[in-house]
Amino acid sequence: MPYIGRATVTAKREFARNMVSITIQCPAVAQESLPGQFVQVRAWPGPGTAADPLLDRPLSVAGVDKQKGTFELLVRVVGRGTRLLASVPVGETIRVTGPLGRGFLEAAGAAGPSILVGGGVGLAPLKFLAEVLTAGGHEVLSLVGARNAAELPPPGELAGKVQVATDDGSAGFHGTVVALLEQMLTMVVFRSGRVPAPVVYACGPTPMLRALKASATLLGLPVYLSLEERMACGIGACRGCAVRQVGPKMAAGEVKMVRVCHEGPVFAAGEVDLDA
Amino acid sequence: MPYIGRATVTAKREFARNMVSITIQCPAVAQESLPGQFVQVRAWPGPGTAADPLLDRPLSVAGVDKQKGTFELLVRVVGRGTRLLASVPVGETIRVTGPLGRGFLEAAGAAGPSILVGGGVGLAPLKFLAEVLTAGGHEVLSLVGARNAAELPPPGELAGKVQVATDDGSAGFHGTVVALLEQMLTMVVFRSGRVPAPVVYACGPTPMLRALKASATLLGLPVYLSLEERMACGIGACRGCAVRQVGPKMAAGEVKMVRVCHEGPVFAAGEVDLDA
Amino acid sequence: MPEMTSSVAAFVGGDGERSPALTLPAGVDLTAKLGRLTLKNPVTVASGTFGYGHEFHRFYDISQLGAVMVKGTTLHPRAGNKPPRVVETPAGMLNAIGLQNPGVDEVIRTELPWLVSVGATAIVNIAGHSVDEYGEIARRLDSVPGVAAIEINISCPNVDQGGMAFGVHCPSAAAVVSGVRRATKLPIITKLTPNVTDIGEVARAVVDAGSDMLSLINTLVGMVIDIERRRPVLGNTVGGLSGPAVRPVALKMVWDVARQVKVPIIGLGGIVTAPDAIQFLLAGASAVSIGTANFADPLAPLDVIEGIAAYLAAHGHRGVAEIVGAANPGFLGSRP
Amino acid sequence: MPEMTSSVAAFVGGDGERSPALTLPAGVDLTAKLGRLTLKNPVTVASGTFGYGHEFHRFYDISQLGAVMVKGTTLHPRAGNKPPRVVETPAGMLNAIGLQNPGVDEVIRTELPWLVSVGATAIVNIAGHSVDEYGEIARRLDSVPGVAAIEINISCPNVDQGGMAFGVHCPSAAAVVSGVRRATKLPIITKLTPNVTDIGEVARAVVDAGSDMLSLINTLVGMVIDIERRRPVLGNTVGGLSGPAVRPVALKMVWDVARQVKVPIIGLGGIVTAPDAIQFLLAGASAVSIGTANFADPLAPLDVIEGIAAYLAAHGHRGVAEIVGAANPGFLGSRP
Ligand SMILES: Cc1cc2nc3c(=O)[nH]c(=O)nc-3n(C[C@H](O)[C@H](O)[C@H](O)COP(=O)(O)OP(=O)(O)OC[C@H]3O[C@@H](n4cnc5c(N)ncnc54)[C@H](O)[C@@H]3O)c2cc1C
Ligand SMILES: Cc1cc2nc3c(=O)[nH]c(=O)nc-3n(C[C@H](O)[C@H](O)[C@H](O)COP(=O)(O)OP(=O)(O)OC[C@H]3O[C@@H](n4cnc5c(N)ncnc54)[C@H](O)[C@@H]3O)c2cc1C
Ligand SMILES: Cc1cc2nc3c(=O)[nH]c(=O)nc-3n(C[C@H](O)[C@H](O)[C@H](O)COP(=O)(O)O)c2cc1C
Ligand SMILES: Cc1cc2nc3c(=O)[nH]c(=O)nc-3n(C[C@H](O)[C@H](O)[C@H](O)COP(=O)(O)O)c2cc1C
Ligand code: FES
Ligand code: FES
């Protein structure tokens, strides 16, 4: 059963430009969360006392400290909800519902050597995933993309090996993170002929996921994507976040919808239609 | 021209039970305000970024410090707007529009010996008025009513002589502030045959104002009332706060509306219809 | 200022936290009698906002609700509209789900038995492309255990054919209701659309056609445009507006309809809190539905049930019916 | 975290502070051409939310606005409805002012000359109890200096007779417009009510009757009940819902009407910010009106003018007309 109730903000820090790390005291979420799962957050009054913004905001769990009973969010301030959340003073409570959804490793079925590909806020669930994988002794390479150096996370924030890419070339590889992946895969992984092949986990803007799905499929690697879709309830009730299921498991002519908030947010790349 | 823009909360204290005194740095309002005038306050996001609560809240100026450029509000927390205002941390800014409306002494035309009658939040403008009148060397007697002792302002908060009345008799006169006034007027003022007769200024719930209008008219004293009406704009534009003008100045059959926010909030008791 | 702090706390991070069990005052009977349909209490949850109840049953025991109106059910399975399907608006949201549902047979096979198993009172919301289709769905549901009533959705703005098209004109609305009336003995609730010039007229037409009750309102048609992409945000272009934003419109329509028909009314549209719900009861609704509020506060219906009970107790009422229509001088329905 | 602090600051105490003068980018022509009515810019202020402009002229020079739609004007003075006349609702408000105004002759004698004297473009919103009365008001305004256009209000929900009753049926709506058409050579804008099943039908009827332009929407009918007193909050029982809450409904109606008539449309309903206004332009409105937002932020129209100009500049447009209807594939109006 997901937790629903108040939780206290215990720390905040600027993680990268316009991105805030927020630590929240909530033992239930800290205990139960798996990488790739998310919480619904309300950091403003309502809905009874003030109804705008009306809906909670979905945010990935970016890490947990089970001992302390805290979990972390990495929030990019893009609109009013994220701005209100970023403005909650340390010591105040917000409302948290979660953990929700299916995580990366549940989607993949097993842990092993992994390549993590993230852009922008896509970083949040991957940070948690990298921690869990390295703690389990698995090799992890994270490829982190951003528009420029200022938007990159500080070095050392992600467990395992990290390579960065920036659109403007101000740090690391000059280009997209998917281009970086392509280069690395052809150069490194395949040349080494390593078995088992790594699994690719990715989270980021849909165009990035689309590009990634194309290249990785080409290279024959299993790819799991964490999707974002506009949500109303976040708990599976409204069917607002549904995407179309595709792939070999479907009968001809069969139309099946899956909910990003419930069957997802992590899906095998071949399982969902990214083009709707 | 009324000020419109941000102003900083510089101090907060609990004034009486459920009533907060808030000091706001805003030289324009501090300089220009007269007792009985009010400001429109917005202590929450919007209207563009969040539209609920939609409208500003009208609050009387309860005092000014022209030197420091600050003014005071006395706010009773009754709903979401006043609660949000009471929750603004010292150091943060709110939006202020004002001063607005016509004050007590502008309505009365001249200052002189005065009886101030206030219940609940009606205290706010009277506190300011008592200060200005005593500073001008006028005799002031304030009659302050509350449900019980806890809701009364601390002694010394109001300039001039103060008598209190409580509904439950837990402090001062046992009964309404209007009953107290009646008793005092018959006992003190008239027996002393003093000339000029004092002017009565009042602010409080409409039933209190109605009762006061009745008794004071009976006793032949000039009475000025600060009215409250639901407001949308607070600046005279919407005609939402209009009340009907009555009295000898009106032609037979003439219907004239006055705006509480613009021609008021202070009116001569005989000038306005309190029964609509 | 300790008191200030506590009054302030409620304003950061949403409304309060609560237990998943109800605490009710003694001496208040919450039973809601809607003609031959009797509900535990007058608080139901609105179709399309509660799925089939599974998701909420994780948070609280949904048998505590007056009834669960299940997601709009069609004859055949429907995949629904293309994304995005929802977008937030000031104090509201637009949805264009497009009646995604597994079809009536699957609902009968899996969802209704589950609702029965957890003790929930189920009302099945149905939608069709033709009068015949409505009738056929009703026929299949007629003798299914655990169906307390059928709610006819002639007000869904998010499907190409059928849906709201039936609900905006009296003759077609009446035809659907007559068809369903012939197909089932179950109590029929007809759900009205607010997107009409005169909702009273439609209400009278469907009551004359045999509807045992009415529910109102469904969503108002609306849209949002993405100014950077220069196209509607919703995949379906338009959607249905719901949530607190529409509450004053919904209340006015319940008020009007309660003056024009005698059948029980289920009021909905933007209800979040007990005071919101009580407004609808006072206007003349015998029960209410909580819709969009379930998304913003999954425990909202429990607060509403408790709040209504507390209001009744505080005002010395022993039952809900005593306040139904109590603010509406023209209320036509019956009160004890 | 200095950046966080600045992004946070905007959230306490309302939206930003601004200068009462406009700052506009070079190279963007804001002129709005609405048939034979040309406005400085496409941002007007809505009737009933701006009085006759005096109150706002204390805060900024109102000649900077595209136009001022003055308060609904009747043949004789009107006192309006009994209080309370306004009540806040989620992201909106209800009003039942009841057309308080000094009558057309007084408006001609004092208000219009003042508006002329400050350089404002005035559009007079008129309301009558009969077709003849509408005609008579228009006749009196016909040759008055400083009247840029007449806006026919057949959509006011707050008066017993006339008002919205005319606007919900095509024949009566057309009759009012024909009457006014005969009485004046001034450009006529007809203001439509959203409280109808099919606003496109009414739009076509009034355009056929000679309306040069349309404005939409007026308010949705709604109500709020005081649950302690058990009676409607408003003295008038019902009122008109306005503000951000109604924006999605208004936008959808502008979108629909822009696909059915070729005349210029003035879009309104819940506009607060430039992005809100741009949605209406992209849907097919040639200009917009700011209504309720004036109450919550008296300087809102200035932000909207600047924001539209900035959007045009950022997207390489030289004039407003280039984006009118740009998101609406069925847009019927003309674009350069
Ligand atoms: C499962 C899931 C996990 C997420 N995890 C994170 C995370 O860890 N960190 C993080 O910073 N963000 C995350 N997001 C995104 C985050 O939920 C949104 O950024 C947030 O809801 C925006 O709220 P806002 O009020 O600040 O923006 P709004 O004011 O609502 O919108 C700002 C802008 O973003 C657009 N927008 C808003 N929501 C969406 C959407 N769902 N899809 C497309 N466009 C949208 C709006 O149209 C607007 O242009 C996640 C989203 C999902 C679905
Ligand atoms: C000119 C003027 C000066 C004022 N000065 C002060 C002051 O100095 N200090 C102070 O504490 N208050 C003052 N008030 C009252 C204050 O404006 C209201 O208490 C406040 O707006 C309520 O806002 P809220 O959001 O907290 O309450 P809401 O949540 O809006 O409402 C709380 C309750 O009060 C009722 N209510 C709200 N507004 C009104 C109204 N105008 N008339 C009747 N019932 C209403 C609501 O129906 C509800 O029951 C003044 C009002 C006016 C018009
Ligand atoms: C996401 C969503 C889906 C809905 N689906 C249905 C439906 O299938 N059938 C129906 O009759 N109404 C449906 N509705 C309408 C609601 O049942 C309700 O009438 C409306 O939302 C107004 O109530 P509210 O403001 O409390 O949500 C849906 C509403 C929403 C928000
Ligand atoms: C207080 C108030 C008074 C109004 N008076 C009039 C009026 O006299 N004539 C008219 O055509 N519309 C009137 N309206 C409607 C507005 O002009 C506008 O159509 C409506 O409020 C929707 O726009 P908004 O949401 O931006 O306010 C009034 C609205 C309000 C809020
Ligand atoms: S957001 Fe409601 S089902 Fe996913
Ligand atoms: S509140 Fe608008 S005129 Fe007074």
Side-chain angles (χ1 to χ4, degrees), chain B residues 67-232:
Chain B
Q67 220 96 52
K68 291 195 188 150
T70 61
F71 70 96
E72 185 187 9
L73 298 175
L74 290 181
V75 183
R76 180 178 294 265
V77 175
V78 298
R80 53 200 195 140
T82 45
R83 199 181 298 174
L84 284 164
L85 173 59
S87 77
V88 173
V90 167
E92 280 291 353
T93 60
I94 61 174
R95 198 182 67 198
V96 169
T97 308
L100 300 166
R102 180 177 71 159
F104 288 107
L105 301 176
E106 294 64 56
S114 308
I115 302 179
L116 278 45
V117 183
V121 289
L123 220 61
L126 298 180
K127 178 169 189 278
F128 189 10
L129 180 60
E131 226 159 76
V132 167
L133 285 170
T134 50
H138 304 289
E139 219 178 314
V140 175
L141 169 63
S142 294
L143 308 183
V144 177
R147 270 176 299 197
N148 53 51
E151 296 191 356
L152 283 171
E157 278 287 352
L158 267 73
K161 271 177 274 167
V162 178
Q163 296 266 354
V164 302
T166 52
D167 294 347
D168 66 356
S170 55
F173 177 80
H174 189 165
T176 71
V177 77
V178 178
L180 170 61
L181 173 71
E182 281 169 358
Q183 201 192 54
M184 302 209 52
L185 285 174
T186 33
M187 280 170 38
V188 187
V189 187
F190 280 74
R191 301 240 166 106
S192 75
R194 157 162 76 185
V195 176
V199 174
V200 179
Y201 296 104
C203 184
T206 307
M208 181 200 108
L209 299 185
R210 245 185 242 131
L212 180 69
K213 177 176 171 175
S215 352
T217 312
L218 222 63
L219 298 165
L221 293 183
V223 179
Y224 292 89
L225 308 175
S226 176
L227 303 191
E228 281 195 20
E229 191 52 70
R230 282 175 191 265
M231 293 187 175

Side-chain angles (χ1 to χ4, degrees), chain A residues 41-259:
Chain A
V41 165
R42 186 174 199 97
W44 50 89
T49 39
D52 188 37
L54 180 63
L55 303 168
D56 291 11
R57 298 297 191 260
L59 295 163
S60 304
V61 177
V64 301
D65 185 329
K66 295 192 185 185
Q67 220 96 52
K68 292 194 188 149
T70 62
F71 70 96
E72 185 187 9
L73 297 175
L74 289 181
V75 183
R76 180 177 294 265
V77 176
V78 299
R80 55 199 193 139
T82 46
R83 201 181 297 174
L84 284 164
L85 173 58
S87 76
V88 174
V90 168
E92 282 290 354
T93 60
I94 61 175
R95 198 183 66 199
V96 168
T97 308
L100 300 165
R102 178 178 72 160
F104 288 106
L105 300 176
E106 292 65 57
S114 308
I115 301 178
L116 279 44
V117 183
V121 290
L123 219 61
L126 298 180
K127 178 168 188 281
F128 189 11
L129 180 60
E131 227 158 78
V132 167
L133 285 169
T134 49
H138 304 288
E139 219 178 314
V140 174
L141 169 63
S142 293
L143 307 182
V144 177
R147 269 176 301 197
N148 53 51
E151 297 191 354
L152 283 171
E157 280 286 353
L158 268 72
K161 271 177 271 166
V162 178
Q163 296 266 354
V164 302
T166 53
D167 293 347
D168 67 355
S170 55
F173 178 78
H174 188 164
T176 70
V177 77
V178 178
L180 170 60
L181 174 70
E182 281 170 357
Q183 203 194 52
M184 302 207 54
L185 285 175
T186 33
M187 278 170 39
V188 187
V189 186
F190 281 74
R191 298 240 167 106
S192 75
R194 156 163 76 189
V195 175
V199 174
V200 179
Y201 296 104
C203 184
T206 307
M208 181 199 107
L209 300 185
R210 246 184 242 132
L212 180 69
K213 177 177 172 176
S215 348
T217 312
L218 221 65
L219 298 164
L221 293 182
V223 179
Y224 293 89
L225 308 175
S226 176
L227 303 191
E228 282 193 19
E229 191 53 69
R230 283 175 190 265
M231 293 186 174
C233 71
I235 60 172
C238 74
R239 278 64 169 164
C241 64
V243 294
R244 203 171 161 149
Q245 186 169 333
V246 293
K249 285 188 209 154
M250 305 284 294
E254 190 189 358
V255 179
K256 207 179 143 196
M257 307 301 291
V258 285
R259 290 162 293 183

Side-chain angles (χ1 to χ4, degrees), chain C:
Chain C
M1 286 187 283
E3 282 180 277
M4 257 179 60
T5 312
S6 78
S7 62
V8 161
F11 276 82
V12 179
D15 296 339
E17 197 165 5
R18 55 156 298 129
S19 122
L22 289 173
T23 317
L24 297 174
V28 174
D29 177 11
L30 282 180
T31 310
K33 290 218 158 63
L34 294 90
R36 56 202 179 97
L37 176 66
T38 300
L39 305 179
K40 291 180 196 80
N41 63 58
V43 181
T44 71
V45 286
S47 178
T49 67
F50 212 75
Y52 298 93
H54 303 280
E55 295 79 14
F56 293 91
H57 201 63
R58 293 186 293 168
F59 294 108
Y60 66 91
D61 174 3
I62 62 170
S63 76
Q64 297 177 107
L65 298 170
V68 172
M69 272 75 159
V70 305
K71 175 72 197 161
T73 300
T74 51
L75 191 55
H76 304 295
R78 279 182 62 97
N81 291 325
K82 59 174 189 285
R85 293 174 168 192
V86 291
V87 59
E88 195 183 48
T89 68
M93 62 173 279
L94 292 171
N95 89 80
I97 307 297
L99 291 178
Q100 178 187 330
N101 81 95
V104 65
D105 295 336
E106 178 66 13
V107 169
I108 292 171
R109 202 178 63 79
T110 64
E111 303 299 354
L112 288 168
W114 181 80
L115 283 159
V116 169
S117 77
V118 300
T121 302
I123 293 176
V124 182
N125 181 279
I126 67 170
H129 288 124
S130 65
V131 171
D132 286 350
E133 223 178 81
Y134 278 100
E136 179 57 27
I137 307 168
R139 193 164 301 118
R140 296 196 192 178
L141 287 165
D142 189 40
S143 48
V144 173
V147 181
I150 285 181
E151 183 177 52
I152 306 179
N153 176 0
I154 47 168
S155 44
C156 179
N158 298 320
V159 289
D160 280 348
Q161 306 166 289
M164 201 179 92
F166 288 110
V168 295
H169 299 296
C170 295
S172 52
V176 171
V177 173
S178 304
V180 173
R181 181 70 295 164
R182 281 190 300 271
T184 181
K185 287 187 207 60
L186 287 166
I188 295 177
I189 305 163
T190 306
K191 185 159 180 186
L192 304 179
T193 172
N195 301 287
V196 293
T197 305
D198 182 356
I199 197 167
E201 197 180 55
V202 184
R204 291 193 311 267
V206 299
V207 168
D208 289 346
S211 192
D212 299 293
M213 277 165 267
L214 301 173
S215 60
L216 59 149
I217 60 173
N218 207 312
T219 53
L220 283 160
V221 184
M223 75 187 294
V224 174
I225 290 175
D226 181 327
I227 67 169
E228 293 305 327
R229 298 175 177 212
R230 299 197 177 170
R231 63 173 196 221
V233 168
L234 294 176
N236 187 49
T237 302
V238 304
L241 182 65
S242 64
V246 310
R247 194 193 311 138
V249 173
L251 185 67
K252 161 65 166 58
M253 290 188 166
V254 167
W255 172 276
D256 278 354
V257 170
R259 298 159 84 93
Q260 302 189 39
V261 300
K262 289 188 176 175
V263 303
I265 295 169
I266 300 172
L268 75 158
I271 297 174
V272 181
T273 66
D276 302 342
I278 293 163
Q279 288 190 64
F280 283 81
L281 298 174
L282 292 171
S286 298
V288 296
S289 270
I290 315 291
T292 302
N294 290 305
F295 304 158
D297 182 0
L299 305 180
L302 302 181
D303 282 339
V304 175
I305 297 170
E306 283 177 359
I308 291 174
Y311 176 90
L312 293 173
H315 291 77
H317 297 292
R318 278 151 314 159
V320 186
E322 293 178 23
I323 67 165
V324 171
N328 190 345
F331 178 61
L332 275 193
S334 52
R335 247 192 338 250

Side-chain angles (χ1 to χ4, degrees), chain B residues 1 3 6 42 44-49 51 54-55 57 80 93 95 230 233 235-240 242 255 257 259, chain D residues 11-17 51 55-56 58-59 79 85-88 90-93 97 100 244 272-273 295-298:
Chain B
M1 194 189 111
Y3 174 77
R6 292 188 183 285
R42 186 174 200 96
W44 49 89
T49 38
L54 180 63
L55 303 168
R57 298 298 191 260
R80 53 200 195 140
T93 60
R95 198 182 67 198
R230 282 175 191 265
C233 72
I235 61 173
C238 73
R239 278 67 170 162
V255 179
M257 307 300 292
R259 290 163 292 183
Chain D
F11 277 81
V12 179
D15 296 338
E17 198 168 3
E55 294 80 14
F56 292 92
R58 292 186 293 169
F59 294 107
R85 292 175 168 190
V86 292
V87 58
E88 196 183 48
M93 62 173 280
I97 306 297
Q100 179 187 331
V272 181
T273 66
F295 305 158
D297 182 0

